[in-house]
Amino acid sequence: MTNLNSRVAFLATDGFEDSELTSPWEAVTAAGASATLVAPDGAAITGKNGHEQKVDLTAATAKADDFEALVLPGGVVNADHLRLDTDSIAFAKAFFEQHKPVGVICHGAWILIEADVVEDRTLTSYPSLATDLRNAGATWVDEEVVVDQGLVSSRTPDDLPAFNAKLIEEIGEGQHAGQTA
């Protein structure tokens, strides 16, 4: 069994896709990591299907230095709000600057476009983001899970088993020199 002994930040806000937060959260904690929810503000956030999660840190106070990896759940409303929050964008970008693993699923890739970290990277997402990612300089592919130098991406909740397995693998490997901003 994997023992990650790592600290993993999850960045989300209201409207996240419930399973895209809860499933990776359960996977990384079962593998020995501690999980921390970072959000732009508030005491708790609510998913589009009603799951409520306590916020541990705000994006303005969270530091990538304190974590070994980042997970960006999807959900249209969640991702759209995060990509407009400068603190959330800076927090996400810092993981790339520090060469740390990042997992992103569904619409979560929007924040990576705003953070300017997808150029020359290969990833997947919910299909409606394909043009956005290509316009930002990424190579978009329609695959269950894609790993590119510590960046793990998947399309939908159907891909969560493969996403979680690769996410744990990449966190276990640690920093990746090719994971850059």
Side-chain angles (χ1 to χ4, degrees):
M1 174 165 219
T2 303
N3 185 358
L4 292 180
N5 195 26
S6 300
R7 297 160 297 175
V8 180
F10 284 72
L11 178 60
T13 193
D14 290 324
F16 62 90
E17 177 64 49
D18 298 48
S19 64
E20 293 174 1
L21 173 70
T22 59
S23 179
W25 186 286
E26 291 168 4
V28 299
T29 57
S34 64
T36 300
L37 181 62
V38 178
D41 52 42
I45 60 173
T46 304
K48 72 178 204 171
N49 296 316
H51 176 79
E52 188 170 285
Q53 186 92 13
K54 177 184 159 290
V55 173
D56 298 304
L57 293 169
T58 65
T61 61
K63 305 283 182 254
D65 296 347
D66 297 332
F67 300 96
E68 281 73 47
L70 173 67
V71 178
L72 299 166
V76 176
V77 173
N78 165 64
D80 197 44
H81 288 170
L82 287 179
R83 71 180 174 159
L84 297 174
D85 183 69
T86 56
D87 291 326
S88 294
I89 295 165
F91 181 65
K93 186 171 187 161
F95 283 85
F96 288 82
E97 293 168 342
Q98 296 177 18
H99 313 291
K100 295 178 179 178
V102 173
V104 62
I105 188 164
C106 197
H107 287 81
W110 269 337
I111 194 169
L112 299 182
I113 293 169
E114 293 302 320
D116 196 26
V117 295
V118 299
E119 187 171 358
D120 298 325
R121 302 300 293 268
T122 299
L123 66 157
T124 194
S125 67
Y126 193 76
S128 65
L129 274 68
T131 300
D132 296 341
L133 286 161
R134 287 182 185 122
N135 287 342
T139 299
W140 185 86
V141 295
D142 185 11
E143 296 178 16
E144 180 180 53
V145 65
V146 176
V147 179
D148 182 336
Q149 295 291 316
L151 175 60
V152 180
S153 59
S154 283
R155 303 167 298 191
T156 71
D158 292 342
D159 299 333
L160 282 166
F163 176 78
N164 292 342
K166 284 298 184 182
L167 177 65
I168 289 167
E169 181 181 321
E170 293 303 301
I171 294 170
E173 290 177 4
Q175 294 182 343
H176 292 71
Q179 176 78 310
T180 59

